[in-house]
Amino acid sequence: MILVTGGAGFIGSNFVLDWRAAHPGEAVLNLDALTYAGNRENLASLAGDAGHVFVHGDITDRALVDRLLAEHQPRAIVHFAAESHVDRSIHGPGAFVKTNIEGTYTLLEAARAHWSALGEAAKAAFRFLHVSTDEVYGSLGPQDAPFTETHPYEPNSPYSASKAASDHLVRAWHHTYGLPVLTTNCSNNYGPFHFPEKLIPLMIVNALAGKPLPVYGDGLQVRDWLYVKDHCSAIRAVLAGGRLGETYNVGGWNEKPNIEIVHTVCALLDELQPRADGQSYRSQITHVKDRPGHDRRYAIDARKVERELGWRPAETFETGIRKTVQWYLHNPQWVQRVQSGAYREWVQTQYAA
Ligand code: NAD
Ligand code: DAU
């Protein structure tokens, strides 16, 4: 069995579904606090699957984590649980420090105690895989080379600073205690179950609801996009073959300015579900106040994971974004239920001005 944290969130739930399909013989213990971003409905297709055990709990709860490790003896921990939204970190950084830093620390200490007591074979096989982000490297200029694994850490938001801190803890637990860790630093994901506070799902659901499409500042900030299932396959590859203590950057060589992403979403919706008045969804675009401290450009150099582990993404941006838009069109009830929760209050706080 493996222990997954944050497996009811966007990437975590995609990973759990992907793992159950790829490794039907190995169960998943899924520990998730079900914050606003956790949604058990993402895992509905696993109902009745004895290979998926869900535990509603917090990664900062050391006694709970100790008990789960002792009872279930997972051979690996794949750690997704985090506060993940940059805008929320600007409004309220405390939760990011608590979950991303203290939560990772708690897991590392529990993992260390558990791993130290294992027999030789189990000890050698054990892995702690920490899922992190390209945002820890800071912002690139237009001509800068993409981030490699040796790029200096220069986090600029409370979110990226908290993730950077967690990466440093993971690194230190390897160097000081020998804990067998792996870290992945991935670029922006998109795909099914993406919470509609993030750019791509927000644009899709707002467009369909006839609402404004809020583009921050000039919309020329650049992100490097990867279809979520390709991130999942990269994590599986690193877990299976990554070298202990190493970090692996994950990305699909898909740099795009935000405004181009929004235009692509509008064009797909114009094709797949045209507006009743015959106008393009582009007419809903509105430029709003920029995000404070907004990083201008991220780009990932993924050559290490490609070279060492033979990983390649299966989707291009064109195939992935079409699948994503289609998924949202086919799942209006998922969107509706997400929006009837705490999400609504957040939208009011963020876009009231
Ligand atoms: P998400 O916000 O969609 O999901 C986070 C999940 O963690 C939720 O299910 C939530 O309930 C759970 N969680 C939060 N606090 C918890 C706690 N204290 N204890 C237990 N569970 C808790 O996030 P995501 O976008 O799926 O990101 C997952 C991980 O991947 C994060 O570590 C994030 O930093 C990293 N990452 C995300 C992206 C991206 O584009 N979304 C890219 C690179 C890396
Ligand atoms: O790079 C990886 C990171 O990608 C992950 O570590 C984070 O968890 C994830 O949230 C994401 O961070 P971003 O800040 O890049 O994603 P977001 O979808 O919030 O924004 C993408 C870009 O779009 C960013 O430049 C801000 C802009 N944006 C976002 C929103 C929500 C808008 O212009 N308008 C919006 O309403």
Side-chain angles (χ1 to χ4, degrees), residues 56-127:
H56 182 195
D58 200 302
I59 57 166
T60 60
D61 182 345
R62 174 69 193 269
L64 171 65
V65 178
D66 282 346
R67 183 170 61 72
L68 292 176
L69 292 175
E71 268 178 24
H72 297 276
Q73 299 284 323
R75 66 151 177 111
I77 298 174
V78 183
H79 174 33
F80 293 93
E83 288 293 335
S84 69
H85 190 33
V86 174
D87 293 323
R88 284 180 190 262
S89 82
I90 296 166
H91 287 267
F96 289 72
V97 170
K98 179 88 180 157
T99 286
N100 300 0
I101 306 178
E102 194 183 323
T104 302
Y105 161 74
T106 306
L107 280 179
L108 284 167
E109 278 296 79
R112 181 165 76 92
H114 171 74
W115 169 76
S116 304
L118 292 173
E120 280 315 305
K123 209 171 172 183
F126 191 80
R127 296 287 181 273

Side-chain angles (χ1 to χ4, degrees), residues 84-87 133-135 159 186-188 197-199 202 214-216 221 223 258 291 294 298 351:
S84 69
H85 190 33
V86 174
D87 293 323
T133 169
D134 59 359
E135 298 202 11
Y159 164 68
C186 189
S187 61
N188 286 62
E197 65 183 350
K198 308 278 171 71
L199 179 72
L202 183 76
V215 172
Y216 295 164
Q221 306 84 0
R223 296 292 182 266
N258 292 338
R291 171 185 281 173
H294 199 168
Y298 305 139
Y351 298 110

Side-chain angles (χ1 to χ4, degrees), residues 244-260:
L244 294 186
E246 292 289 316
T247 66
Y248 291 88
N249 283 357
V250 180
W253 306 94
N254 264 312
E255 282 185 64
K256 305 226 181 269
N258 292 338
I259 193 71
E260 190 181 321

Side-chain angles (χ1 to χ4, degrees), residues 223-235:
R223 296 292 182 266
D224 191 348
W225 295 93
L226 183 70
Y227 192 62
V228 63
K229 291 185 194 308
D230 286 325
H231 187 189
C232 296
S233 71
I235 291 170

